[in-house]
Amino acid sequence: MPKITVSVPDELLKRFKAAFPEVNVAAIARRAISRKVEELKKFEALKTRGVFEPKKFEEFLRELKSKGVI
């Protein structure tokens, strides 16, 4: 498995470890990266549907409203 280095301000890491010593910081970073990948995939899917073109965006919003999403 590849490794990455993440820089975090000393004070932030100190506060985090003091408050949550049992939490694995690396696991949090892995989950955050995984969530971001999924979020970006959804964004790319919307872009390919043309959702960000003004007329398409209005249609998309109407569709979400009709489904009760928003």
Side-chain angles (χ1 to χ4, degrees):
M1 176 183 309
K3 294 182 180 187
I4 64 171
T5 300
V6 178
S7 296
V8 178
D10 291 337
E11 183 58 30
L12 175 61
L13 188 58
K14 182 179 173 182
R15 285 184 10 229
F16 181 84
K17 286 185 174 187
F20 309 103
E22 72 285 354
V23 176
N24 181 329
V25 176
I28 292 172
R30 281 191 296 274
R31 276 185 264 141
I33 292 169
S34 179
R35 283 189 205 134
K36 189 63 172 183
V37 167
E38 293 305 315
E39 180 182 298
L40 291 171
K41 283 171 145 179
K42 291 175 184 176
F43 181 75
E44 287 300 317
L46 291 174
K47 278 180 26 182
T48 60
R49 286 179 59 187
V51 169
F52 297 109
E53 296 171 16
K55 287 185 181 183
K56 293 273 188 169
F57 186 70
E58 289 173 15
E59 291 173 21
F60 180 67
L61 285 178
R62 278 195 295 277
E63 180 182 332
L64 290 178
K65 286 179 183 178
S66 72
K67 292 180 179 180
V69 175
I70 57 172

